[in-house]
Amino acid sequence: MSTVIYPSPIFGPIHSRRLGISLGINLLPHDGKFCTFDCVYCECGYNKDHRPKQKLPTRESVKTALRKKLEEMKSEGIVPDVLTFAGNGEPTSHPDFAGIIEDTIETRNELCPQAKVSVLSNSTFIHKPDVFSALNKVDNNILKLDTVDIDFINTVDKPVCNYNLQRIIDCMKAFNGNIIIQTMFLKGTTDEGVDVDNTHDGYVLPWLESVKEISPRQVMVYTIDRETPGKYLKKATHEELDRIVYLLKEAGIEASASY
């Protein structure tokens, strides 16, 4: 199985299905994966297979590397659409996450003011006041909510932390609409043979009710794009994703699908 382990602290630019020309910011080590989830669909593989030996990049090294890369891109006439915090795990787990966000916004304003700052997070630290405050400052606060079924979360997202679903939903509500929800829809089974199809109404309708309560400014639904550690997972179909987008739009929520 091939996996994607990203350079640190800067990688790309790459073309994102959802965000356009994206310059990646990876706050995890470059030699492995560290995440509070251990998703069966993660392109970086399972945590146990990619234990990092290097330390986290420092706040100063992130700031310096970002400035250098943006200056290079500017000299080449390349303009990023977005600066995206993603990479080899959960970005908000970095102890200096809030300060790094401040530095990034400052550098963005100076060198590429048209670019958006985005964070792709699995939501596990949004209860922390400093993380919550930092996420409220970025342009695209993109938070994961794959389902509201805790058994599915434990089977597919596989938290390796103290995961409190209701607390996460309550914190999402507290953003007062300054949030984009990101949801993975997939089919097939785990390697142990457990069905993971969350495209049918048994999963979609309760999730939709929670999304309505959270009242995000947008929902991004997507499916598998790269090789996964789970060998028997399958993509959701265009028709299934389109139906979910339709239900969201019927509820008055802006939504898009990435196939």
Side-chain angles (χ1 to χ4, degrees):
M1 180 197 70
S2 62
T3 54
V4 180
I5 299 297
Y6 292 94
S8 176
I10 306 298
F11 63 94
I14 61 175
H15 188 272
S16 165
R17 287 185 294 170
R18 287 157 283 173
L19 302 172
I21 299 174
S22 172
L23 184 63
I25 304 172
N26 175 23
L27 300 186
L28 286 304
H30 65 84
D31 65 334
K33 179 191 173 194
F34 176 80
C35 195
T36 48
F37 275 2
D38 201 16
C39 299
V40 298
Y41 59 77
C42 182
E43 64 185 22
C44 296
Y46 290 127
N47 291 341
K48 65 180 177 60
D49 297 327
H50 304 280
R51 297 291 187 190
K53 296 181 176 61
Q54 300 298 315
K55 294 181 179 180
L56 299 175
T58 65
R59 174 179 176 177
E60 188 58 38
S61 70
V62 175
K63 182 178 181 179
T64 299
L66 177 61
R67 170 173 289 276
K68 180 180 178 182
K69 185 63 178 180
L70 287 176
E71 287 175 342
E72 288 176 1
M73 291 175 67
K74 190 173 183 179
S75 69
E76 296 168 1
I78 302 172
V79 180
D81 296 308
V82 63
L83 310 178
T84 306
F85 285 83
N88 305 337
E90 174 52 36
T92 64
S93 64
H94 195 292
D96 288 327
F97 175 75
I100 291 169
I101 290 294
E102 290 181 8
D103 295 342
T104 300
I105 292 172
E106 179 182 327
T107 304
R108 182 275 311 271
N109 291 347
E110 178 186 347
L111 295 176
C112 55
Q114 73 290 334
K116 306 295 186 183
V117 176
S118 298
V119 179
L120 302 179
S121 170
N122 65 20
S123 310
T124 50
F125 289 114
I126 62 174
H127 63 283
K128 296 178 63 177
D130 60 332
V131 171
F132 184 92
S133 177
L135 289 173
N136 242 334
K137 296 174 183 177
V138 304
D139 301 289
N140 297 317
N141 171 30
I142 304 173
L143 301 181
K144 174 168 287 298
L145 184 67
D146 283 343
T147 179
V148 293
D149 184 293
I150 193 62
D151 290 334
F152 184 94
I153 291 169
N154 287 331
T155 299
V156 174
D157 296 330
K158 296 170 66 177
V160 292
C161 62
N162 180 21
Y163 187 86
N164 186 321
L165 177 60
Q166 189 57 56
R167 180 174 66 180
I168 285 174
I169 291 173
D170 289 342
C171 288
M172 286 181 168
K173 293 178 186 177
F175 282 107
N176 294 320
N178 184 28
I179 173 179
I180 298 171
I181 288 179
Q182 175 182 252
T183 302
M184 165 67 79
F185 288 98
L186 73 168
K187 304 172 75 169
T189 69
T190 65
D191 290 353
E192 295 75 30
V194 179
D195 179 33
V196 294
D197 183 350
N198 65 335
T199 65
H200 55 79
D201 284 350
Y203 287 108
V204 173
L205 295 184
W207 166 85
L208 179 61
E209 289 306 308
S210 290
V211 171
K212 290 178 185 177
E213 293 177 8
I214 295 165
S215 191
R217 77 167 201 254
Q218 184 183 354
V219 175
M220 295 175 171
V221 301
Y222 69 121
T223 192
I224 296 167
D225 185 44
R226 299 186 177 96
E227 191 172 354
T228 61
K231 296 186 288 291
Y232 305 107
L233 305 179
K234 299 177 182 178
K235 292 171 71 77
T237 66
H238 285 216
E239 293 77 14
E240 287 162 338
L241 293 184
D242 287 344
R243 182 184 80 93
I244 294 165
V245 168
Y246 172 80
L247 292 173
L248 289 161
K249 289 182 175 179
E250 281 286 291
I253 299 169
E254 181 181 341
S256 62
S258 296
Y259 311 105

